[in-house]
């Protein structure tokens, strides 16, 4: 499946694992993994399920964020 959705992977000292956010799908859309690779694999699986579920329910897919849309530059 060719999708261009944002996957943010960050280490969490509190959880002692890599936590993944999928921001286009809402603020509560997260997964995790003990390694970076596992976190990324889990993110891909969740993303695939979200896309399939939305399409099956006839729901529109969220608009993928692109760098030019999400990047705000401060000029001094």
């Amino acid at each position: 499946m060719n999708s261009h959705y944002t996957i943010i992977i960050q280490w969490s000292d509190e959880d002692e694992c890599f936590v993944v956010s999928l921001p286009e799908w809402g603020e509560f859309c997260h997964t995790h993994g003990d390694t970076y690779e596992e976190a990324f694999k889990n993110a891909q699986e969740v993303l695939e399920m979200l896309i399939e579920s939305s399409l099956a329910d006839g729901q529109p897919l969220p608009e993928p964020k692109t760098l030019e849309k999400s990047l705000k530059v401060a000029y001094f």
Side-chain angles (χ1 to χ4, degrees), residues 2-21:
N2 185 15
S3 58
H4 299 289
Y5 289 105
T6 306
I7 297 174
I8 299 171
I9 303 174
Q10 297 174 303
W11 175 256
S12 170
D13 285 333
E14 182 180 338
D15 300 314
E16 296 184 356
C17 67
F18 287 93
V19 177
V20 181
S21 301

Side-chain angles (χ1 to χ4, degrees), residues 1 25 47-61:
M1 186 166 291
W25 297 89
L47 189 54
E48 189 172 301
M49 287 188 293
L50 288 166
I51 291 169
E52 288 175 2
S53 176
S54 292
L55 293 175
D57 293 343
Q59 298 293 318
L61 297 177

